Amino acid sequence: MRVAATRLAAAAATRPLLLLLLLGSASLAIGAMAGHALGGARESPAAANSAETDGLARFAVDEHNKRQNALLEFVRVVEAKEQVVAGTLHHLTLEAIEAGSKKVYEAKVWVKPWLDFKELQEFRHKGDATTFTNADLGAKKGGHEPGWRDVPVHDPVVKDAANHAVKSIQERSNSLFPYELLEIIRAKAEVVEDFAKFDILMKLKRGNKEEKMKAEVHKNLEGAFVLNQMQPEHDESSSH
């Protein structure tokens, strides 16, 4: 009898603990569904070029067109980030054509594969797309105003130019540690004759050291990049 009573007492003691655990799990699930955020959005370069992301971006544009009675035409995915929620929240930066002009939009698509659930959470205009592409350089040759002008750091052409610069810097370096592109801080571009010039300020990492590097990269009509010059960028505050 004492053994049975002891077992009953132990079982009764564990019930509140199990109930707390169940309530805690339920609260986490509800919180994730309500707040849609269990972690920060992480950039996924491979996903940006995947067929799945392309399909999600087209879905976002189609949903936006239905809701706003718009006529956007999807062009391409510029950047893709993924955030773990109750499923996955896809943060997409994409290009679409509106009334003949190419523009950049940001969209958030919530996906729960096990429920076959897909929903457009947000869709907003971010700005005009840069005109420094192969097609534009060919079609608008001589039509650009002279001089440098700011261009979006997230633009694919700017990213390609920056990646080429990092690769070229690495090839010219004797360092055993590879350079890693952490951030494109700012970018300017200018069309001269039959090629485009990009003036890019980047934050690089080599081993445990971070440094800023300024590079000028040229791109011709055939799409080939050439690193014209590079130099370390020193903060004025650090020189005092």
Side-chain angles (χ1 to χ4, degrees):
M1 292 291 289
R2 288 182 179 177
V3 173
T6 303
R7 287 178 178 173
L8 286 171
T14 57
R15 284 172 188 164
L17 179 60
L18 290 172
L19 182 60
L20 285 172
L21 288 173
L22 289 171
L23 287 173
S25 300
S27 297
L28 284 173
I30 293 170
M33 292 170 68
H36 292 187
L38 287 179
R42 296 184 178 182
E43 189 168 356
S44 181
N49 299 316
S50 71
E52 179 187 2
T53 303
D54 195 76
L56 290 173
R58 291 179 183 277
F59 167 79
V61 172
D62 290 343
E63 283 295 296
H64 172 76
N65 284 342
K66 291 176 185 176
R67 295 179 185 181
Q68 302 297 325
N69 195 25
L71 294 171
L72 298 186
E73 181 182 347
F74 172 74
V75 177
R76 61 178 171 175
V77 175
V78 176
E79 184 178 68
K81 294 182 180 180
E82 296 179 352
Q83 183 178 3
V84 177
V85 294
T88 305
L89 188 63
H90 296 268
H91 298 245
L92 307 173
T93 302
L94 59 92
E95 286 183 358
I97 295 175
E98 180 183 23
S101 298
K102 191 189 298 181
K103 298 182 179 180
V104 179
Y105 297 87
E106 288 184 341
K108 293 180 182 179
V109 180
W110 188 20
V111 178
K112 292 189 284 188
W114 66 93
L115 295 176
D116 195 25
F117 172 87
K118 184 165 54 178
E119 181 179 83
L120 177 63
Q121 295 281 302
E122 184 180 311
F123 194 96
R124 63 188 182 92
H125 177 233
K126 188 174 182 181
D128 294 333
T130 177
T131 57
F132 293 99
T133 63
N134 291 346
D136 288 326
L137 282 172
K140 300 181 180 178
K141 180 179 176 181
H144 294 278
E145 295 181 2
W148 293 95
R149 65 188 183 95
D150 293 328
V151 290
V153 296
H154 58 75
D155 187 90
V157 182
V158 174
K159 287 186 174 182
D160 288 344
N163 287 327
H164 176 83
V166 174
K167 181 180 177 183
S168 299
I169 291 170
Q170 180 62 41
E171 290 174 350
R172 300 178 188 184
S173 171
N174 295 322
S175 174
L176 296 176
F177 297 100
Y179 280 94
E180 178 185 353
L181 177 61
L182 296 179
E183 179 188 1
I184 301 175
I185 299 172
R186 65 159 179 77
K188 294 183 178 182
E190 179 184 20
V191 173
V192 181
E193 297 297 332
D194 56 354
F195 66 93
K197 297 195 299 183
F198 296 90
D199 179 36
I200 304 173
L201 179 60
M202 307 171 290
K203 182 187 289 186
L204 306 179
K205 183 177 181 181
R206 180 177 51 172
N208 295 323
K209 181 183 178 184
E210 292 185 5
E211 56 187 298
K212 293 181 181 179
M213 189 76 71
K214 188 177 181 182
E216 183 178 307
V217 182
H218 294 181
K219 181 184 181 183
N220 61 24
L221 288 173
E222 286 71 41
F225 289 101
V226 176
L227 177 61
N228 186 55
Q229 58 179 314
M230 61 177 182
Q231 63 184 45
E233 181 78 2
H234 301 290
D235 292 331
E236 293 182 3
S237 57
S238 62
S239 61
H240 294 294

